[in-house]
Amino acid sequence: MRKLLFGALSLLTAATLIPAYAQSQSDPKYSAKVPPYITTPDKVETSIGTLKFFDGLPDAETAQKVYDNLDRARGMEAFLSGMPAASIYAMCEGLSQIGVKRNEVIGIFADLMDARSLFLTANTTTIYVSACMDLKDGPMVLEVPPGVLGPVDDAYFRWVTDVGLTGPDKGQGGKYLFVPPGYSGNLPSQGYFVIKSPTYSNWLLSRAFVEGGDMAAASNGVKARAKIYPLSAAGNPPQQKFVDLSGMQFNTIHANDFHFYEELNEVIQHEPADAFDPEIVGLFAAIGIKKDKPFAPDARLKSILVDAVAIGNATARAILFAPRDQEVKFYSDREWGNGFVGGSYEFLNNGERMLDVRTRFHYYATGITPAMAFAKPGTGSAYAFAGRDAKGEYLDGGKTYKVTLPAPIPAAQFWSFTVYDGQTRSMLETDQKLAGLDSTQKDIKKNSDGSVTVWFAPKPPAGHETNWVQTMPGKGWNTLLRLYAPLEPWFDKTWKPGDFERVD
């Protein structure tokens, strides 16, 4: 009886998986052996609801459900994959709104940066120099002063070239000629480092190094030599304009709501149609962001995209702050994370584009160059990220923590901590201008064994005032440890920074 009952149930189950027409028809004369896995049942239960079909043909309700789901999925992926483009756009647009006009003006943080300027993971130890170029009207000349360092990135945040110490001028300074895609005009045969960009928009971020604490000298050195102007004006360049950005309140960070798609649309409309990979251009087009077409989603699509960007933003935050990829960790027994998993500035690994790694970087940081990913002992800089304490809990701005850097700290130049806001990923707003500290500060105290313990808390712990970084109650925060000219113990991991220990 049990076997008969089991057999009957099996036949009933099989019948529900066979399209209705097949249950009422005898086999045709010319019949195939159709594997069940290539057919579609008349009813399928899924995470987006019940899907209904007649002989594999979706009914109207099912078609609408799957299209809504497809638009949502593509909207979310457009956020994650379009982030590099929106980030560059927000950077140049933010600079333009406070006077650093494309092709005309150079911005400089002559008195360093502070938390009033919203800027992804910048620091307070460097004089930043920034400018945006738009090559749509023709080639642009960028004159670079001696002794600076930094990249130029294109409209999709792809590395175009370095300038300064790691660029073709080798730190001696020189003239760079940026040529737009598809340009067929005559170019000078000498006197320039000729750089062909795949996009019209290009962003410069360079650092002017301060010697002996003389920031004015470093700033004046940039102002004396840095220039940006069209090649057509090379015979008589205009007087260079600068804007001192220190202390200015402005935003350079892309949106995390529906406005993100509007930022992305501005990029697509401005750049050549073939500036980006066709696959990603097709992704943007699928949600209505098309070259030479207005981006005007109807009420249905807009509501879906509002949902999609919210999910995409949450996804980016999870990838950054709660990564499931254990390769993000520098050490198996520490909470410190790596910004360039795999050591590739293009986020490549064995033929694979590491999508989550790319999202993690661009949601948190800015500025792409091989010099960041391929630092060598004694040169460049190294970065380690921490957003959790030794117990794996998020860092809380209302609590007190300490972290110890064992001696000797493997930095030939200096090391620094900078604290960042969990919301903006920009510097944490506190009463401390530096939003951190660095080893060039003469009053930092060392422990008896030469190690250094740094304290992070809303108020300075008694006796540790000179080694204190301020945090804010009610705010989540994270930090970057930077080592300038990192030494071999950093690379072979024989040196490990301590984890953040909560002190109750």
Side-chain angles (χ1 to χ4, degrees):
M1 178 63 71
R2 182 177 299 174
K3 290 183 178 179
L4 289 173
L5 179 60
F6 179 78
L9 289 173
S10 298
L11 288 172
L12 180 61
T13 301
T16 63
L17 295 176
I18 300 173
Y21 88 95
Q23 298 179 34
S24 60
Q25 300 289 333
S26 59
D27 289 342
K29 181 177 180 180
Y30 301 98
S31 58
K33 293 182 178 180
V34 181
Y37 56 78
I38 72 168
T39 65
T40 301
D42 288 349
K43 182 184 292 186
V44 182
E45 300 296 336
T46 74
S47 61
I48 62 172
T50 302
L51 307 181
K52 299 178 181 179
F53 304 85
F54 167 70
D55 191 21
L57 308 176
D59 66 14
E61 183 180 357
T62 293
Q64 190 61 58
K65 284 180 181 178
V66 295
Y67 279 129
D68 287 351
N69 185 63
L70 183 61
D71 289 340
R72 183 178 297 105
R74 285 174 170 166
M76 187 185 78
E77 186 56 40
F79 178 83
L80 297 176
S81 295
M83 196 183 301
S87 189
I88 281 286
Y89 174 80
M91 175 67 69
C92 289
E93 191 64 15
L95 289 170
S96 179
Q97 289 175 5
I98 46 95
V100 185
K101 301 296 184 183
R102 296 168 176 86
N103 296 348
E104 297 179 16
V105 182
I106 297 174
I108 182 169
F109 287 94
D111 193 28
L112 304 181
M113 190 183 292
D114 59 52
R116 288 172 287 189
S117 304
L118 292 170
F119 197 111
L120 292 177
T121 54
N123 67 55
T124 55
T125 59
T126 303
I127 292 179
Y128 283 111
V129 179
S130 189
C132 291
M133 291 177 285
D134 183 359
L135 310 180
K136 199 162 192 174
D137 293 331
M140 293 294 299
V141 178
L142 177 68
E143 294 192 18
V144 175
V148 300
L149 169 69
V152 174
D153 295 323
D154 79 354
Y156 193 64
F157 237 128
R158 296 171 297 200
W159 178 71
V160 177
T161 186
D162 277 356
V163 300
L165 296 172
T166 55
D169 68 280
K170 306 299 182 184
Q172 301 302 306
K175 295 180 180 180
Y176 286 73
L177 179 59
F178 289 86
V179 181
Y183 184 76
S184 59
N186 294 326
L187 295 173
S189 60
Q190 58 184 2
Y192 298 90
F193 301 108
V194 178
I195 308 295
K196 295 183 178 181
S197 173
T199 63
Y200 295 138
S201 298
N202 289 264
W203 171 62
L204 162 74
L205 178 69
S206 65
R207 299 170 178 174
F209 293 97
V210 178
E211 296 183 5
D214 193 345
M215 289 193 294
S219 176
N220 291 336
V222 170
K223 292 179 179 179
R225 297 285 297 272
K227 291 183 180 181
I228 184 172
Y229 51 87
L231 177 63
S232 59
N236 186 26
Q239 182 70 30
Q240 183 59 53
K241 300 175 184 177
F242 292 89
V243 171
D244 187 349
L245 304 174
S246 294
M248 296 187 72
Q249 293 177 310
F250 65 100
N251 175 52
T252 67
I253 302 171
H254 66 76
N256 287 331
D257 60 9
F258 180 79
H259 182 52
F260 173 90
Y261 299 114
E262 295 171 327
E263 294 173 332
L264 192 57
N265 182 60
E266 291 292 332
V267 177
I268 293 300
Q269 300 308 325
H270 185 75
E271 296 297 334
D274 59 353
F276 312 116
D277 186 279
E279 193 81 16
I280 200 165
V281 174
L283 173 65
F284 302 155
I287 60 170
I289 299 175
K290 298 184 179 185
K291 180 74 173 177
D292 297 329
K293 300 287 185 181
F295 176 55
D298 59 21
R300 180 201 71 88
L301 181 55
K302 185 171 183 179
S303 68
I304 287 174
L305 292 179
V306 168
D307 186 40
V309 73
I311 298 171
N313 179 55
T315 302
R317 287 183 174 274
I319 290 170
L320 172 58
F321 295 117
R324 61 183 179 180
D325 184 356
Q326 290 303 303
E327 289 188 10
V328 167
K329 288 189 175 183
F330 261 123
Y331 318 98
S332 60
D333 60 344
R334 295 287 195 278
E335 291 294 331
W336 290 100
N338 178 9
F340 282 103
V341 175
S344 168
Y345 71 96
E346 295 177 295
F347 313 106
L348 295 174
N349 180 34
N350 195 30
E352 150 200 11
R353 181 86 66 192
M354 296 180 288
L355 300 179
D356 286 359
V357 173
R358 183 178 67 184
T359 293
R360 186 171 190 264
F361 179 88
H362 284 295
Y363 196 74
Y364 187 63
T366 193
I368 285 287
T369 167
M372 295 173 69
F374 300 137
K376 297 179 181 179
T379 65
S381 51
Y383 305 81
F385 164 84
R388 296 174 182 263
D389 65 16
K391 295 181 179 180
E393 301 292 332
Y394 286 128
L395 298 170
D396 183 338
K399 309 299 182 183
T400 297
Y401 302 87
K402 65 177 181 178
V403 62
T404 298
L405 304 180
I409 300 171
Q413 295 177 355
F414 67 98
W415 56 265
S416 72
F417 279 107
T418 310
V419 289
Y420 299 103
D421 185 319
Q423 278 281 8
T424 65
R425 293 91 70 209
S426 185
M427 281 184 278
L428 187 67
E429 298 170 61
T430 69
D431 296 324
Q432 287 184 324
K433 181 180 179 182
L434 294 182
L437 54 73
D438 65 75
S439 58
T440 65
Q441 296 168 236
K442 297 179 181 179
D443 55 357
I444 289 181
K445 294 180 180 179
K446 293 184 178 181
N447 301 319
S448 59
D449 62 356
S451 65
V452 176
T453 299
V454 181
W455 296 75
F456 296 76
K459 295 181 180 180
H464 302 291
E465 290 81 0
T466 60
N467 289 33
W468 167 63
V469 178
Q470 187 179 16
T471 59
M472 300 296 286
K475 292 293 298 179
W477 61 276
N478 56 82
T479 188
L480 279 179
L481 168 64
R482 290 176 169 90
L483 304 179
Y484 291 90
L487 301 176
E488 187 60 36
W490 166 260
F491 294 95
D492 63 21
K493 298 185 180 181
T494 55
W495 181 85
K496 297 181 182 181
D499 270 331
F500 282 83
E501 301 174 38
R502 181 171 160 182
V503 181
D504 293 316

